[in-house]
Structures are given as structure tokens and as C-alpha cells.
Amino acid sequence: MSYPLGVSLRADSARVREQMLLAARRRIEGGDLDLPLNAVAKDAGVGVGTVYRHFPTRQELLEALAADSLAELAGAAERAAEAADAGAALGDFLAAALSRLDRDPALALVLGASDAACDDTMRRSRELLGALTGLLDRARAGGAVRADVTAADLRALVCGVHHAAEVAGTGETGRYLRILLDGLKP
Amino acid sequence: MSYPLGVSLRADSARVREQMLLAARRRIEGGDLDLPLNAVAKDAGVGVGTVYRHFPTRQELLEALAADSLAELAGAAERAAEAADAGAALGDFLAAALSRLDRDPALALVLGASDAACDDTMRRSRELLGALTGLLDRARAGGAVRADVTAADLRALVCGVHHAAEVAGTGETGRYLRILLDGLKP
DNA sequence: ACCTGAACACCGTTCAAGT
DNA sequence: ACCTGAACACCGTTCAAGT
């Protein structure tokens, strides 16, 4: 039994796509933030052109790698926005975001980029910022956050804390987050 | 009148060195953080080998580019450590550091690096951290800074604020610094 | 449709040959 | 001593040729 041509091609394409993402993930988690596309192609056992067909730019590959993390973050923000104690929920969300950033190098690059290359990333980003805005409004109303902080600030500041922890070495994320949380109070 | 051979060579070498630094500065200030050494050589009108002779690694070129900024920072920290109001001096120093970081891309790369390649950078770094430790001690004694913050933390956090401002776009440095300063209070 | 891989331009880095 | 630039390996990116 063979699949109809269209389906078979799509299935094959999806398989190849997964191979490339797997190879890319292995590389970037191994600390190679450059992520040379030629090397990804070789690791995945496909031609370079195939990488470029699936991911026209390096940024699109990074966004594909970070997609799960970004979706999880957006979900966490939405749950946080409904929590009873908005101030505490904000702290928990930021801790979760930093923990993800520590484990997923691609997420740091995507969250730090000024704008998204893929529609999917754009959507998730908007979801995230929207939920965060709601969360901030409630936290502000509860007196937990100063007046002038926006969701975009929060995104930037989380990237900043992550970067600071990277500069310092390892294991400082928690302390730096506490400093940020204190600084966010009115 | 010709100079003795040794002096003439040294003078020529110094001239060539300045040409390379000038070319590199132009590139990096033009936004090319990659700073390709082949391109620097071409811009400076020297052979690639000459660049490598003067700056064996990219890191050493970056440190040469950031040397003035780093020296100025170390000086500012030493002056701050002697100021009457240690808390205020700390805030002023951090503002000055961030202003330098905004203007000198090489400084951000050097300050963010885990360790220095050149002895000179190492010395200046130690000077900076030493002065900062003194400043912190006095600010802490005056009740302006929480107990667990070290000079190394401060260095990392400044890099973090700078990074956050870069992620956010432009002009947020001041607001983010205020958040950091509030967060540093005990 | 999708994939391959040769091809070209460019950069990192070294080193033999020049002055 | 110091400088030059050819040389080699590698990566980004495109595109004609294959299936």
C-alpha cells in the first residue's frame, strides 16, 4: 500500500524537517550559537539547499527551534493573568521564563530579536505580550508594580536578567530576578 | 636626519597599529559587530598577517578598542569610591558606565566577556572591581545597598541593563537603570 | 514539488617569501 | 624585526540539474 503522491511527499518533507531541527537543536545546545547552516545540513544528512528551502533565513530556523518554548511561555502568561494574586503570579511567571531561557538558547535569541520572521512567532509574541499586559494591569492595581512598566519592558528586562546571569557565570539567575522584582515595585 | 633603525621601525609599527584600530573602530561603530579581520586589514591598507601580528585574537583587538573606555570607567569608579555620598556616587557611576556602553560597542563585548586576553585589560578590570568593592562597602554601610551584592554582580547587572535597553529599542536605559537602583536597595 | 550538491564569494588563519 | 599576500579550510547563499 503506497500513500497518494501528495501525502507521501508531505510526510517525507516533514520527516526531513524534523531531522534538520534535531540536528540544529543538538548543535545549539552543544553551545554553537553560530549554528552554521552548512553544518546543520551535513549533520542532518540533507543538501544545503533543503535547509534553505525550509528555513529561508537563520532567524526562521531559530524561531522554529524556540517555538515550543515560546508557546509554553505564552500559555504560562495567560494562566498567570487569571491567578488570584497577580503580584505573586508575575514573580512566578518571570521565574519560569528565566528557567526556560537558561535551558533553551534559541529562545534567548528569539526573545531578544526586535521582530519575528515567522507569522507563528509573531502570533505567539502578541499572545504573550497581551497576557502580560493584563497581568501587569492587575499587579499594578494591587500595588505590586510601579506605574510606568509595560509588557515590552518586562520582556526586555527578562532578557537583561538572563544576560546578566550569563555574564556573571552560572547560578545567579535567582538572585538577579529578586533584584528585578524589588526594582519593579512602586 | 633619519631615526636609528629600532626607533623608526617602532614608530612605523605604532602608525600601522593606529591605522588598524581606526579602521576597526569605524567598522564596529558602523554596526558591524562581527568585525571581520580580513576586512579590517583591507580598510587599513595592510596585509592580513599584520593584523594577526598585532592582535593575535579578535578578543585582543576588541580589548584594544575598548581600552580608553575601560580606563575611564576605572577612573570614575575610583573617584566615586571617595565621594561623600556613596549611594549617590554609585548611581552616578552606573549612569556613566551605561552611557559609555551605549556609545562604545567594543566595551559591551569586553565587559561581558568572562575574562581578559590582554594583561592591560586584566589590570584595569581589577582596578575597576577593586574600586567598586570599596564603593559598595561604603554604600552598604550607609544603608543604600542590599547586603549580598558584589562588585562582580554590579558589573554583570550593568551589562544586563544595557542588553535590556538594546532589546527594548532605544532610550530606555535611564528607566531601566532606575529600576535596577531601586532593586539594589536593601 | 522537492531535493541535491556544485559553484562562487567571503572570512579565519597560517606561513613562506620579501623588505 | 616586521610586513605581505598567497594558500587552504570553512561557511553563506544560489541555482541548474536531478527524482
Side-chain angles (χ1 to χ4, degrees):
Chain A
M1 271 285 207
S2 75
Y3 294 107
L5 186 60
V7 171
S8 151
L9 277 179
R10 255 183 258 153
D12 191 58
S13 186
R15 197 175 47 77
V16 144
R17 192 187 141 95
E18 286 314 310
Q19 276 169 11
M20 291 186 292
L21 284 175
L22 187 63
R25 210 178 303 276
R26 265 203 275 263
R27 277 216 159 244
I28 207 169
E29 275 168 9
D32 185 1
L33 293 189
D34 281 351
L35 201 64
L37 298 192
N38 273 303
V40 170
K42 181 176 267 190
D43 289 358
V46 302
V48 220
T50 306
V51 178
Y52 277 87
R53 162 171 287 276
H54 283 257
F55 309 105
T57 68
R58 197 181 103 91
Q59 181 64 19
E60 277 171 82
L61 174 56
L62 286 174
E63 290 178 19
L65 287 173
D68 285 353
S69 292
L70 189 60
E72 206 207 61
L73 236 57
E78 274 164 3
R79 283 191 302 277
E82 319 236 312
D85 183 342
L90 179 62
D92 290 347
F93 167 78
L94 291 179
L98 283 166
S99 159
R100 265 283 178 178
L101 279 169
D102 273 346
R103 279 171 295 138
D104 186 350
L107 182 61
L109 294 170
V110 170
L111 228 51
S114 49
D115 42 24
C118 310
D119 288 351
D120 192 61
T121 311
M122 197 98 81
R123 239 189 321 273
R124 292 292 190 201
S125 274
R126 268 200 276 266
E127 261 178 59
L128 177 60
L129 284 188
L132 230 47
T133 302
L135 177 59
L136 270 175
D137 285 346
R138 288 188 48 227
R140 209 167 7 235
V145 174
R146 60 207 295 159
D148 61 348
V149 179
T150 68
D153 289 331
L154 222 52
R155 169 174 147 270
L157 288 166
V158 166
C159 290
V161 166
H162 177 247
H163 187 251
E166 266 187 342
V167 166
T170 49
E172 305 298 344
T173 310
R175 275 176 55 230
Y176 294 170
L177 172 57
R178 251 170 281 139
I179 292 173
L180 172 61
L181 285 172
D182 277 0
L184 287 175
K185 285 178 191 158
Chain B
M1 273 281 205
S2 74
Y3 294 107
L5 187 61
V7 171
S8 151
L9 277 176
R10 257 183 254 152
D12 191 57
S13 187
R15 198 175 46 78
V16 143
R17 193 188 140 95
E18 287 314 311
Q19 277 169 11
M20 291 186 292
L21 284 175
L22 187 64
R25 210 179 303 275
R26 265 204 275 264
R27 276 218 159 244
I28 208 170
E29 274 167 10
D32 185 1
L33 294 189
D34 281 351
L35 200 64
L37 298 192
N38 273 303
V40 170
K42 181 175 268 189
D43 289 359
V46 302
V48 220
T50 306
V51 178
Y52 277 88
R53 164 171 286 274
H54 283 257
F55 309 105
T57 67
R58 197 182 102 90
Q59 181 64 18
E60 277 171 81
L61 174 55
L62 287 173
E63 290 179 18
L65 287 173
D68 286 351
S69 292
L70 189 60
E72 207 207 61
L73 235 59
E78 274 164 3
R79 284 191 301 278
E82 318 237 313
D85 182 343
L90 179 61
D92 290 347
F93 167 77
L94 291 178
L98 284 165
S99 160
R100 265 283 178 180
L101 280 169
D102 273 346
R103 279 171 295 139
D104 187 349
L107 182 62
L109 295 170
V110 170
L111 229 51
S114 46
D115 40 26
C118 310
D119 288 351
D120 192 60
T121 311
M122 197 97 82
R123 239 187 323 271
R124 291 292 190 202
S125 272
R126 266 199 278 265
E127 261 178 58
L128 177 60
L129 285 188
L132 231 47
T133 301
L135 177 59
L136 269 175
D137 284 346
R138 288 186 49 226
R140 209 169 4 237
V145 173
R146 58 206 297 161
D148 60 347
V149 179
T150 68
D153 288 332
L154 221 50
R155 169 174 147 270
L157 288 165
V158 166
C159 291
V161 166
H162 177 246
H163 186 251
E166 265 188 341
V167 166
T170 49
E172 305 298 344
T173 310
R175 276 177 53 230
Y176 294 171
L177 172 57
R178 254 171 279 140
I179 291 175
L180 172 61
L181 285 172
D182 276 1
L184 287 176
K185 286 179 191 156

